[in-house]
Amino acid sequence: MLETPFGQYAALLALRRLAVVGELTTEMKKEISDILSWAATVDYIRGKDRHGLMIDIVRILKTSS
């Protein structure tokens, strides 16, 4: 996991783009959703833009299944 807020945010934006336009298998979607759901519970992420982006990506992945 990148430890800088900017790096994390940039990586999440790229991941959201992949979730929207990428060819992900059902297994990949589940694995990414599980990881992001866990990461969204980490205290230093809550209340940050990154938290909202993680939740948004999980929602996209679950609705595209």
Side-chain angles (χ1 to χ4, degrees):
M1 185 181 284
L2 297 172
E3 294 300 326
T4 64
F6 177 79
Q8 290 173 352
Y9 194 79
L12 287 167
L13 288 175
L15 188 55
R16 183 176 65 183
R17 179 142 180 92
L18 180 64
V20 171
V21 299
E23 296 292 323
L24 298 172
T25 66
T26 302
E27 183 179 317
M28 292 169 146
K29 290 177 185 180
K30 181 174 177 359
E31 187 172 349
I32 293 167
S33 291
D34 290 347
I35 291 168
L36 289 179
S37 294
W38 170 82
T41 68
V42 176
D43 285 339
Y44 80 92
I45 294 290
R46 289 187 189 176
K48 310 285 188 202
D49 290 342
R50 293 166 286 157
H51 179 264
L53 195 50
M54 288 177 186
I55 300 303
D56 189 43
I57 294 167
V58 170
R59 181 189 54 78
I60 291 167
L61 290 170
K62 286 185 177 180
T63 59
S64 67
S65 294

